[in-house]
Amino acid sequence: WYFSAPGDHKKVPSGAVLRAWALTWRYHLGTVAFGSFLIALIRFVRFLATRLEEKLRDAGLQEGVTKFIMSCIQCCLACMERTVKYINKNAYIMCCIEGRGFCSSAQEALGLLVANVLRVGTVNVIADWILIFIKLSISGSIMLLAWALMRYGSWTDGGDPNLLLILLAGFAAFVIATVFMNIFHTMIDTMLLCLCYDDDVNDGAGRQVYMTSDLQDLLKKHNRAPAPAEEGHYREMQH
């Protein structure tokens, strides 16, 4: 969608989801498999470290320095897993933009994120707080609705609502909202990386920028040449 046309005249390409699936199965199964392999490898190492920690605890050897070393190893592995997950997500996004392999896409994505660290950090912090607020609002609304139904529903006797059921309803709503909000978070990351790539690659003169007019005003980067016909530059980037 972002690269369908410059400026505000964007449209969703026909059959976009099916085309994406077809391109993934034909050209990028190795990319998907390699990213998944990295996560699986780190989790396997974490499993081995956990088993080793249990064996040391059973043998009475997890004391003092040994306990400190195992805690440091677990912490480093957990941080490494989160980092690789973040790199994976942005590498997949960059692969969708440029159509390159995993390693080159990851390198390009990291370069863009580092070059736009303030922009990325600001958007992520604001997005995280907004999504948390939405999830809590949904959970609170469901809990309030459950309380009202238990309190004033025609099938109830008007007694005190069951607090456990209300909490379970709120928890289920929070889990479901989290699943959907994760999709929105991925969409935000995708749009942000598209913007960073657009701002880095296109200058508005020789190569048209694809950001909307509001973003062009904000970044003070406007198109000064005729737009390429029929998504030409978009197709070029996909190849």
Side-chain angles (χ1 to χ4, degrees):
W1 173 83
Y2 185 95
F3 293 106
S4 61
D8 299 323
H9 306 291
K10 302 183 186 302
K11 59 181 179 179
V12 178
S14 58
V17 176
L18 294 178
R19 289 172 57 192
W21 272 103
L23 290 173
T24 300
W25 279 93
R26 183 174 181 180
Y27 298 109
H28 296 294
L29 278 182
T31 301
V32 175
F34 186 71
S36 301
F37 169 75
L38 293 179
I39 299 295
L41 180 62
I42 295 176
R43 288 185 175 177
F44 179 70
V45 174
R46 290 190 67 183
F47 170 77
L48 293 180
T50 302
R51 293 293 297 171
L52 177 60
E53 189 175 8
E54 292 175 354
K55 294 294 185 182
L56 292 175
R57 187 186 303 112
D58 293 340
L61 300 176
Q62 194 181 15
E63 298 178 357
V65 177
T66 304
K67 184 176 182 179
F68 174 76
I69 292 175
M70 293 305 301
S71 298
C72 290
I73 292 175
Q74 290 284 14
C75 180
C76 291
L77 290 175
C79 293
M80 184 180 299
E81 182 178 352
R82 289 181 175 86
T83 302
V84 172
K85 283 183 178 179
Y86 185 74
I87 293 174
N88 267 6
K89 179 171 67 173
N90 288 282
Y92 291 151
I93 295 172
M94 186 55 61
C95 177
C96 293
I97 295 175
E98 291 194 321
R100 296 194 292 180
F102 181 87
C103 294
S104 57
S105 297
Q107 181 181 2
E108 179 74 15
L110 283 177
L112 288 175
L113 294 174
V114 172
N116 298 273
V117 61
L118 293 179
R119 184 184 298 172
V120 172
T122 302
V123 171
N124 281 335
V125 169
I126 296 175
D128 286 342
W129 280 104
I130 292 176
L131 294 181
I132 289 174
F133 175 77
I134 293 174
K135 288 186 285 188
L136 293 177
S137 299
I138 293 174
S139 301
S141 300
I142 294 298
M143 292 175 66
L144 182 61
L145 178 61
W147 175 85
L149 290 175
M150 293 180 187
R151 179 73 175 181
Y152 301 107
S154 59
W155 60 88
T156 63
D157 56 2
D160 293 333
N162 191 315
L163 180 60
L164 179 59
L165 292 179
I166 294 175
L167 292 176
L168 287 176
F171 176 75
F174 185 83
V175 171
I176 296 173
T178 299
V179 173
F180 281 94
M181 290 304 105
N182 285 340
I183 298 175
F184 279 98
H185 202 292
T186 301
M187 180 194 69
I188 292 171
D189 290 337
T190 302
M191 291 296 101
L192 179 59
L193 199 57
C194 287
L195 172 64
C196 295
Y197 179 83
D198 188 19
D199 187 32
D200 180 69
V201 173
N202 303 317
D203 55 10
R207 297 173 69 92
Q208 299 287 294
V209 294
Y210 283 78
M211 63 188 74
T212 61
S213 58
D214 292 337
L215 290 173
Q216 292 180 23
D217 295 336
L218 181 63
L219 300 178
K220 295 180 172 54
K221 178 177 284 190
H222 298 83
N223 289 324
R224 299 184 297 274
E230 297 293 331
E231 307 176 4
H233 181 40
Y234 169 74
R235 294 197 185 95
E236 175 186 342
M237 288 190 296
Q238 297 307 303
H239 293 293

